[in-house]
Each structure stands twice: as structure tokens, then as C-alpha cells.
Amino acid sequence: MTHYPITQRNKVIRSPKRASYDPEVIHAILDEAMVCHVACQSEQGSLIQPTLHWRVDEVLYIHGSSKNGLFQQLLNGAEASIAVTLLDGIVFARSAFHHSVNYRSVILYGKAYEVTDEVEKRASLDALMEKFHRGRSKEARPANDTELKATSVLAFKLENISAKVRTGGPVDDPEDMELPVWAGVQPITLQLGDIVYE
Amino acid sequence: MTHYPITQRNKVIRSPKRASYDPEVIHAILDEAMVCHVACQSEQGSLIQPTLHWRVDEVLYIHGSSKNGLFQQLLNGAEASIAVTLLDGIVFARSAFHHSVNYRSVILYGKAYEVTDEVEKRASLDALMEKFHRGRSKEARPANDTELKATSVLAFKLENISAKVRTGGPVDDPEDMELPVWAGVQPITLQLGDIVYE
């Protein structure tokens, strides 16, 4: 697959030059980011929630308490919109208007299916632990049946998905280039510190 | 105000001990985080989008192209759900089940109003620049009328808002404490690098 199919739902309208439907680009963003934001409609209006996500092949997983309100909506068939965002830099232009940020983001629209098969569910939760610390799924005490039951794992196929990426320096208007105003990029990185054992 | 009013819409149901309605706590999270995620309903389903946000007193602002699809929905009266999330650490417990993350997050539900008064609009956009780099609003070429028109500034009152905060180490079951499994917290911080001038 050279790129995910472009549909009415996932087509990037604004700044289409920054859009990507390339699985490699999209996988890399999903794998690097730790947190996604999931939204769906409910009777009280739109719901939104941050949660951890992880990917195995062409499936994006999230997990949470089976009593969670947003999860209940998704289990009842509400379509989710999911955003994964990495902020890479602040872009300082010579004009206020052209200030920007460098980022890599993914948006996915889709209905969840619940992972109910025990083998698949345990394997997917192991993959979550491995994402955050390689080898951890072999170290920690595995979930017992009660714990496994209390956790819902929801899966989304990587369909109706798109990425948007901005890189590089400021893009100033030609007539602003000689202004006595500095311009540049301030990089932003996520730092994982040393583990504090207890 | 000691805390924001708790309503049916903003009351934290899951893990209510982690909830906060304290303006100081909520302001600090909004001010530290650079990106929020905004969702709302549309005819095609739920929409979601990352965008920069900033706060002045009791108002949260976002801005974007006036042609942006989600902004159009908000301008037409759709209620927004907004999430601001800071990930502070990965919490490694002795059992798989009790693995967690430390985080500070804010959820706000509300309808936007558009900032149309030119003085107020310029002041709010200056506040955005100041958030990302103190003094920048005095350095960069100000927006001209065309640029100002192309930018929509949407404002949300800090109502129907809540925070959720997890701090500290793993909380293991008593019977797991003697397991030969390491436990601890890996801190996560956002690093702002040196500006690369160009």
C-alpha cells in the first residue's frame, strides 16, 4: 500500500501540501506519540478525553475502564475522531502573521471494535507495555482475570486516516525579509528522564 | 472564587479524587501547555483538531483560518469540547494492571464567541505571541488588516471546566509488594531548545 485511500472524511482540506496519507509517515507518528485525544458525540454533546494509544500493524488500540463514559459511547457504536499530535518547534517569522509551529499530527475517524478474545486482549496489552518500556511485559505480574475484565481494549483499523506535517523555517513575505526582526525555529523535544525506582 | 462551579457537564466521574476545579490548578495547566485539542459535532460526525491555545484571565483563546471547517462549526454555534493534556511521567508498577501515567489535564465544554473588536483581537493575538516568547509582540511586524481578517480568534469562558491530575509513584496491591519486580516513575519533560536563527 503506497498510501491510505483518500475519502471525503479524511481528506485534508486546509494546507493540503502538508497532508500525508503515507503509512510509513502515519505509523511513525502514532508510534512516537504516547497520548492521543479521542472525541465522540453523546446525548450531552461532544465528549473528549486524552488516553494512551498504541499500534500493532494496521490497528490503533486504546484501553480504559469499561465503566468510562466515552468508552461506553464508543462501544455503543459512536464514531470516534482521534488526534495524535507531536509538537516539534516554534517558528518565529518576521511578521506576526507568519509565526507558526512545526508539528506532526494524525487524525483518524472510525468506529471501534472491542477486543474480547482473551489471547488477543493479553497480546495487545503486552504491546502497550512494550511500547513504553521494552521487556516490561515479561517482568510485571500479568493481569488476573478480574483485572483483565475491568479493562476494555478498543481497536480502530487504520482507515479514514491522514497525517499533517509542517517542517522547516519561517516563510516570510518577500517584502518583510529586510526588516530588522530576528527569525528562526525553537525546537521542542520530549525528554524521558531516568527512572526513579521505589 | 475558590473553585469553578461543578455542573453535570464538567463533573469528573472516573477517579474523582484526581479531579480539581481550582482556578489556580487549571490556569497553570492551560498556561504551561502549548497545544489543545478541540472537538465538536458536525453533520459528518465528530471533528477533532489540534491547535495552539492561550489564556487571558478567565478566557481561553484559540485562533485559526476563518475558512477552517471546525472553526466554521464553532462559529455556527456548535459546542466545543477542549482538552489540554500534560504528560509528566510513566508509572511502572509491579503488576501490569497498575501501570499508569502521571499527568495534568483540563477539559472544557462550551460555546465559542468570536473576537471581532479590532483592539481586543490584536491584544489577544499579542498575548499568544507573548506566551511563546516574551517580548515578541513588540518585535514582529504587526498584522495588517488583510492578515487580521484572515485570522479568526475564538474565545471560551472558563466555565464547565475541570482538571484531573495524577502524581506520585505506583500504587500496587499489598500482595504484590514483595514480588521481584522493579517499580518506579520515569519523568517526562518538554525541552525547549536553543533558537536556530535564520
Side-chain angles (χ1 to χ4, degrees), chain B residues 2-138:
Chain B
T2 55
H3 66 74
Y4 292 109
I6 302 170
T7 67
Q8 271 214 308
R9 192 75 168 106
N10 72 333
K11 189 177 180 185
V12 175
I13 309 292
R14 302 290 311 157
S15 311
K17 280 184 192 164
R18 294 183 184 160
S20 172
Y21 306 90
D22 182 338
E24 258 188 67
V25 171
I26 287 173
H27 289 179
I29 296 169
L30 297 178
D31 294 352
E32 183 176 332
M34 295 189 243
V35 168
C36 72
H37 286 82
V38 183
C40 77
Q41 302 188 4
S42 78
E43 279 175 22
Q44 311 113 280
S46 191
L47 299 176
I48 191 166
Q49 199 175 290
T51 190
L52 305 179
H53 69 272
W54 70 103
R55 180 186 69 87
V56 178
D57 301 327
E58 291 298 315
V59 177
L60 184 79
Y61 292 99
I62 60 174
H63 79 315
S65 163
S66 44
K67 292 175 187 159
N68 178 293
L70 187 137
F71 274 56
Q72 296 280 352
Q73 295 289 330
L74 299 180
L75 288 170
N76 286 335
E79 190 199 44
S81 53
I82 302 181
V84 173
T85 307
L86 294 164
L87 196 59
D88 293 325
I90 309 168
V91 180
F92 294 96
R94 290 157 186 90
S95 65
F97 185 71
H98 284 300
H99 277 65
S100 187
V101 288
N102 284 334
Y103 62 89
R104 289 166 291 152
S105 68
V106 166
I107 305 283
L108 177 154
Y109 297 106
K111 290 193 179 187
Y113 64 90
E114 189 176 10
V115 178
T116 50
D117 177 77
E118 189 182 327
V119 174
E120 189 187 348
K121 191 170 177 178
R122 286 189 181 276
S124 71
L125 289 167
D126 280 354
L128 165 61
M129 303 195 75
E130 292 297 315
K131 176 180 178 181
F132 281 84
H133 194 91
R134 192 172 294 227
R136 190 61 177 168
S137 70
K138 303 269 184 296

Side-chain angles (χ1 to χ4, degrees), chain A residues 139-152:
Chain A
E139 297 172 336
R141 172 178 68 70
N144 59 38
D145 287 350
T146 311
E147 291 168 342
L148 200 66
K149 228 178 196 166
T151 308
S152 290

Side-chain angles (χ1 to χ4, degrees), chain A residues 108-185:
Chain A
L108 177 153
Y109 296 107
K111 291 194 178 184
Y113 63 90
E114 189 177 9
V115 178
T116 50
D117 177 77
E118 189 183 326
V119 174
E120 189 186 348
K121 192 169 176 179
R122 286 190 180 276
S124 71
L125 289 167
D126 281 352
L128 165 60
M129 303 196 75
E130 293 297 316
K131 177 181 179 182
F132 280 82
H133 193 92
R134 192 170 294 226
R136 190 61 178 168
S137 69
K138 302 269 186 295
E139 297 172 336
R141 172 178 68 70
N144 59 38
D145 287 350
T146 311
E147 291 168 342
L148 200 66
K149 228 178 196 166
T151 308
S152 290
V153 175
L154 300 186
F156 298 88
K157 288 191 190 145
L158 300 192
E159 296 169 344
N160 276 316
I161 194 165
S162 63
K164 215 167 159 185
V165 176
R166 190 202 190 280
T167 57
V171 181
D172 272 302
D173 293 333
E175 58 268 33
D176 290 334
M177 292 304 288
E178 300 307 318
L179 290 177
V181 181
W182 63 265
V185 176

